[in-house]
Amino acid sequence: MKLADLPKNDCQWLRGVGPMHDVVISSRVRLARNIAGMPFLTKCSPQQQQDLEALLRKTLLEAQLAPEMLYVDVQQACELDRQLLLERHLMSKPHAKAEHPRGLAVSADETAAIMVNEEDHLRMQVLRSGLQIEQAVEQIARIDEKLEARLDFAFHSRYGYLTACPTNVGTGLRISTMLHLVALKLTGEIEKAFRAARDLHLAVRGFHGEGTEAVGDLFQVSNQTTLGRSEQQIVEEFCTQIIPQFIRYERLARTSLFKRNALAIEDKICRSLAMLRSARLISSAETLYHLSLVRMGVHAEVIKDVDLKTLNALFLMIQPAHLQKVRGQEIDSVTRAVVRAEYLRKTLGGN
Amino acid sequence: MKSQCDKCGKPATVHLTEIVDGHKAEKHLCEECAVSEGIAFKTNLPISQLLEDFIRQTSQPEDDPVCQACGRRFSEFRQEGLLGCPNDYDAFGGQILAIIERAHDGSSQHVGKVPHAGAETQKKQTDMLRLKAQLKTAVAAEDYERAAAIRDQLKKLEQEQA
């Protein structure tokens, strides 16, 4: 498997056909681990960073974590490749932007991705389509076991697994779901939902994680506390109490939108589809705005001639690095607007 | 319940009852006014920001412990939000404990998965960190006799762990 093959593949987390896919786009679980007897990245010398990268690269490739693993030397990778991996949610923004020795291991199906030398020595993640947290947790626990057989992780009898930032200490487990909350946004109830989320000790973030904007009405909701509860408790609470609430609120909001004025909302949805099928120049922000409405339209059966898989793929393919990869060359932002519009017309059968 | 903000008249979403010296006082505020009053948190604030604010509010500047293993000062952690090495968790004692409890809903005891090696290796891990730091200093000072002795101790620890 090569890095160049990625844009041609279906992206696991955007396949969008998992359980509760009308609201839950994807589920992600992450574990943070550090090697015992080594400083955290902030206090690693350049030599130690290099040694860590070499050790972890070797371990990740030998540990048979997946049938096929790709390892990317992120320090050596070009900017476009780093942007591509970021758009596919295989690595974080800080990891894409940093300059020190670091890497990324990705399984061929893109469900597992492990960052080397990010904030912690190891940041492992498993991504699944729709609401599949339990399955993702099972997969990541297997990866953790295999790595623990080969590595010693920094561990404290009181604080558990030690991490560079004390907000991740304990289990090191963070669960996130990417939610499509278009109706809550339209009805203006989203703030209320977020306040409720904060009362439940949850973090709500944008499309690309911490400190990023929400685009296309996509929000990441994740647990904040990683200490004082077992992995099982964290998962159970998240799956049985928290996420079902969000799904219920969003579905209620969708129903009430259509009940209040079905024609107005159908009009909004159909205009968005027309925009995507007709535009000659379009930015990614505008595209995501319309894609969001069309996605709701497909689930509400207002739009019947666009399938969900095509639509989900568009959320990814219209982003800058993906457009450039499809074109096979670097293009500036003005030309990207043209190429994006062409791509949308071609995919959605526009004129 | 009053539905308008006491300050600007917009719809109130934050309702607060305070009892001071036995007198009950009610406050009704909209989100913006509540944020400016410091009662509610702004939305979309990253966790790291919340933590930094909290660290700044709670720690005393004159009390600034240093980790012997990695040389990180508590004040550096306070500024950047990141620790230097596993030993910092012990070196920063009560100050780090307060931050952990605040970040984790009052908890400070891990109850999840434990590695096979268990916590016995914890002391060894810290010893190794400390020895590595000492080795660096010895080499920098060109005290090779001491460096060799430290290296032997390190080797012994590494073998025990394996």
Side-chain angles (χ1 to χ4, degrees):
Chain A
M1 187 176 113
K2 292 191 303 269
L3 188 57
D5 297 335
L6 285 186
K8 290 174 223 149
N9 290 352
D10 263 0
C11 203
Q12 168 67 30
W13 63 272
L14 260 186
R15 210 159 290 168
V17 287
M20 310 287 174
H21 60 73
D22 55 332
V23 182
V24 187
I25 306 251
S26 61
S27 306
R28 169 181 175 267
V29 297
R30 178 271 273 162
L31 284 180
R33 297 284 187 258
N34 288 278
I35 305 302
M38 288 290 275
F40 296 139
L41 262 302
T42 41
K43 279 288 179 185
C44 270
S45 65
Q47 185 60 48
Q48 284 175 316
Q49 292 177 348
Q50 233 163 46
D51 293 348
L52 267 172
E53 197 272 334
L55 167 77
L56 295 173
R57 178 201 296 238
K58 188 166 169 282
T59 312
L60 291 174
L61 288 172
E62 285 176 358
Q64 296 182 314
L65 305 176
E68 206 184 338
M69 282 300 260
L70 168 75
Y71 187 90
V72 184
D73 184 332
V74 181
Q75 194 186 25
Q76 300 296 323
C78 69
E79 203 192 326
L80 191 56
D81 284 341
R82 283 182 275 136
Q83 180 68 27
L84 184 88
L85 293 165
L86 175 68
E87 286 176 7
R88 295 178 87 80
H89 286 233
L90 296 172
M91 70 183 186
S92 68
K93 215 170 184 171
H95 206 54
K97 304 277 177 229
E99 280 166 8
H100 63 274
R102 63 204 191 283
L104 173 77
V106 186
S107 67
D109 63 0
E110 291 179 61
T111 54
I114 303 164
M115 289 188 280
V116 172
N117 285 358
E118 208 242 22
E119 187 179 295
D120 296 297
H121 298 157
L122 284 172
R123 284 280 179 109
M124 330 169 194
Q125 74 161 22
V126 168
L127 269 175
R128 291 288 182 111
S129 175
L131 188 64
Q132 296 193 64
I133 293 166
E134 282 106 334
Q135 294 86 336
V137 168
E138 263 171 47
Q139 190 179 345
I140 209 159
R142 279 199 302 274
I143 292 175
D144 189 39
E145 285 287 313
K146 284 184 178 169
L147 291 178
E148 204 151 69
R150 291 160 184 263
L151 301 164
D152 273 324
F153 292 139
F155 186 84
H156 191 282
S157 52
R158 178 166 190 187
Y159 299 139
Y161 287 95
L162 298 179
T163 51
C165 181
T167 49
N168 297 314
V169 82
T171 55
L173 175 67
R174 181 96 61 216
I175 306 174
S176 320
T177 43
M178 179 90 72
L179 303 178
H180 185 215
L181 304 178
V182 51
L184 284 172
K185 187 82 184 288
L186 281 174
T187 55
E189 289 167 83
I190 198 122
E191 281 305 318
K192 217 159 61 186
F194 289 169
R195 260 200 306 281
R198 280 194 301 278
D199 289 343
L200 292 165
H201 301 282
L202 298 172
V204 182
R205 299 165 207 184
F207 192 50
H208 280 294
E210 202 160 323
T212 63
E213 291 278 302
V215 287
D217 306 317
L218 299 179
F219 299 88
Q220 277 189 45
V221 175
S222 46
N223 66 311
Q224 294 235 47
T225 51
T226 53
L227 181 70
R229 260 169 269 209
S230 70
E231 289 81 358
Q232 208 183 345
Q233 278 173 298
I234 295 173
V235 171
E236 222 174 81
E237 207 178 278
F238 204 79
C239 295
T240 59
Q241 295 168 27
I242 290 157
I243 294 308
Q245 292 269 33
F246 271 97
I247 297 173
R248 203 169 61 90
Y249 285 150
E250 170 63 19
R251 283 180 178 164
L252 276 174
R254 289 187 194 185
T255 314
S256 91
L257 269 179
F258 279 94
K259 223 184 242 168
R260 219 182 298 157
N261 197 341
L263 208 55
I265 192 72
E266 280 173 26
D267 179 68
K268 210 170 162 70
I269 289 166
C270 294
R271 278 170 187 267
S272 279
L273 182 58
M275 195 69 96
L276 297 174
R277 279 178 166 159
S278 306
R280 279 352 189 216
L281 281 172
I282 194 162
S283 68
S284 44
E286 190 184 354
T287 309
L288 288 167
Y289 169 81
H290 293 304
L291 280 175
S292 169
L293 285 162
V294 170
R295 195 176 189 278
M296 175 167 70
V298 169
H299 279 111
E301 293 179 357
V302 173
I303 293 171
K304 296 189 181 93
D305 61 339
V306 178
D307 74 276
L308 194 61
K309 233 179 124 185
T310 311
L311 201 61
N312 283 324
L314 280 177
F315 272 88
L316 189 66
M317 296 310 289
I318 57 91
Q319 294 191 52
H322 277 81
L323 277 183
Q324 296 178 68
K325 279 284 175 183
V326 168
R327 257 294 161 101
Q329 66 188 77
E330 285 196 28
I331 38 181
D332 61 66
S333 67
V334 180
T335 320
R336 279 208 296 274
V338 181
V339 176
R340 184 178 293 116
E342 272 171 19
Y343 191 86
L344 285 165
R345 294 203 303 277
K346 200 180 90 198
T347 314
L348 293 170
N351 44 55
Chain B
M1 193 179 286
K2 198 178 161 203
S3 63
Q4 259 134 28
C5 175
D6 297 338
K7 300 193 104 182
C8 66
K10 276 192 224 158
T13 52
V14 178
H15 307 279
L16 203 71
T17 308
E18 279 181 317
I19 298 172
V20 183
D21 297 334
H23 297 287
K24 194 170 130 192
E26 283 187 16
K27 271 188 183 173
H28 305 277
L29 299 166
C30 69
E31 172 120 23
E32 281 164 37
C33 292
V35 169
S36 66
E37 289 263 294
I39 292 166
F41 285 122
K42 223 186 285 172
T43 51
N44 282 330
L45 210 57
I47 308 182
S48 58
Q49 180 70 49
L50 280 175
L51 181 73
E52 272 168 38
D53 290 350
F54 169 69
I55 297 168
R56 236 175 266 131
Q57 283 164 22
T58 49
S59 29
Q60 320 241 320
E62 61 270 23
D63 198 5
D64 191 15
V66 188
C67 169
Q68 296 305 319
C70 73
R72 193 137 180 107
R73 294 185 162 275
F74 184 71
S75 55
E76 285 177 88
F77 161 66
R78 205 165 50 183
Q79 255 171 18
E80 295 170 35
L82 293 175
L83 295 162
C85 81
N87 188 54
D88 291 5
Y89 280 96
D90 292 319
F92 299 159
Q95 302 193 27
I96 195 89
L97 175 64
I99 288 165
I100 289 173
E101 285 181 335
R102 170 80 181 235
H104 297 283
D105 199 15
S107 305
S108 64
Q109 178 61 55
H110 177 61
V111 292
K113 189 192 160 190
V114 173
H116 302 304
E120 296 155 34
T121 55
Q122 185 196 322
K123 193 184 164 299
K124 267 184 217 157
Q125 292 172 12
T126 316
D127 287 347
M128 274 168 73
L129 265 173
R130 202 171 293 130
L131 286 171
K132 276 182 188 167
Q134 283 170 3
L135 182 64
K136 218 165 124 189
T137 326
V139 170
E142 301 189 7
D143 183 350
Y144 298 114
E145 212 171 303
R146 194 170 132 72
I150 296 170
R151 204 195 45 215
D152 290 347
Q153 282 185 51
L154 264 171
K155 257 199 194 134
K156 204 176 136 213
L157 274 179
E158 267 164 20
Q159 275 164 1
E160 276 175 29
Q161 204 150 33

